Amino acid sequence: IAFIEASKTLPPSSTLDVFIICAPEDFEFVRTLNETLQIQNKTTWFDETVQSASIQDMANIEQNELNEGIEQCENIVFVVSPSAIKDPRCIRELNYAHEQNKRIVPILYREILSVYNHPVLDQISWIDFQPGGDFSAQFGTLFRQLESDPAHIRPHTRLLVRSREWYEADRDKSYLLRGKELQASLDWLIQADGKTPAPTTIQREFIAESQALPFRKLRRRSIVLTSVLSAGLV
């Protein structure tokens, strides 16, 4: 009863669609982008109080909270501008998203010099959102990219959240996958071969540990069942 009641308090989904990384100087544009995403039923992580915090105020903001936001989002939209490229917070969040093998979607809002380009962004195609263009057409391109390959991206995000919880709980076995969840994860790992973003090391370890646990239990249960059947026959 307690398990069921506690389950009712959980949100319908532990993941979000888009985490937006941008510099404070680009807020007016990003507000419009964020509102348009939400109109299209996309759940977003765009906290203006966090995003607009000064370097001094960042000391009072839990970095873990921002990291969890990145982990929980299926897509990371990086708004490219001279301010964002030079902003330590933006670069830190971009690097963390890259470390977690997140799908990063750069959108160019203000032109930057190539010498300032980040190596992560240099490997990805950008969507041109510079002023003067057709916002609706630009947004259509972005939306199609965010919607692409959900069978790979959504499990990737869900498994990242679950595997991080397991890892941070000192690899507690009670966090491991079982039954249909485990089988779905094994199927996903097979189809993820060669895809971008690739599974992380922790995701692979999480699935491997989950796979090992039920087989050990199954073996013990099989031995007990065999013993009971033998005794019954005798």
Side-chain angles (χ1 to χ4, degrees), residues 52-197:
S52 60
S54 65
I55 295 175
Q56 291 79 11
D57 292 335
M58 280 302 296
N60 300 321
I61 298 174
E62 285 290 339
Q63 189 60 44
N64 287 341
E65 182 181 350
L66 295 175
N67 290 347
E68 288 175 6
I70 291 171
E71 293 165 9
Q72 292 169 3
C73 288
E74 295 177 2
N75 303 277
I76 310 300
V77 169
F78 188 93
V79 180
V80 181
S81 72
S83 302
I85 288 296
K86 297 176 183 178
D87 190 320
R89 175 191 51 77
C90 292
I91 298 304
R92 181 170 56 250
E93 292 174 6
L94 174 63
N95 288 337
Y96 186 75
H98 179 64
E99 290 168 7
Q100 301 306 310
N101 288 6
K102 303 298 294 185
R103 178 160 70 183
I104 299 171
V105 183
I107 63 174
L108 178 62
Y109 177 55
R110 290 189 287 136
E111 193 68 54
I112 65 170
L113 297 175
S114 58
V115 68
Y116 291 119
N117 196 14
H118 192 281
V120 172
L121 300 176
D122 197 35
Q123 303 169 13
I124 312 169
S125 297
W126 301 3
I127 301 174
D128 192 344
F129 265 84
Q130 294 181 87
D134 186 339
F135 181 86
S136 296
Q138 295 162 336
F139 183 81
T141 302
L142 171 63
F143 189 80
R144 285 190 294 274
Q145 188 160 347
L146 298 177
E147 287 282 281
S148 64
D149 204 5
H152 175 64
I153 296 297
R154 287 171 187 166
H156 188 288
T157 306
R158 186 177 64 252
L159 281 168
L160 179 61
V161 173
R162 293 287 298 274
S163 61
R164 295 293 303 179
E165 290 175 347
W166 165 73
Y167 182 80
E168 290 168 6
D170 295 326
R171 299 173 179 259
D172 188 330
K173 292 182 179 180
S174 65
Y175 285 79
L176 294 173
L177 302 168
R178 293 169 175 81
K180 292 182 179 180
E181 269 193 319
L182 172 59
Q183 187 57 56
S185 298
L186 289 169
D187 293 341
W188 171 81
L189 192 59
I190 293 172
Q191 67 84 34
D193 186 35
K195 286 197 173 186
T196 302

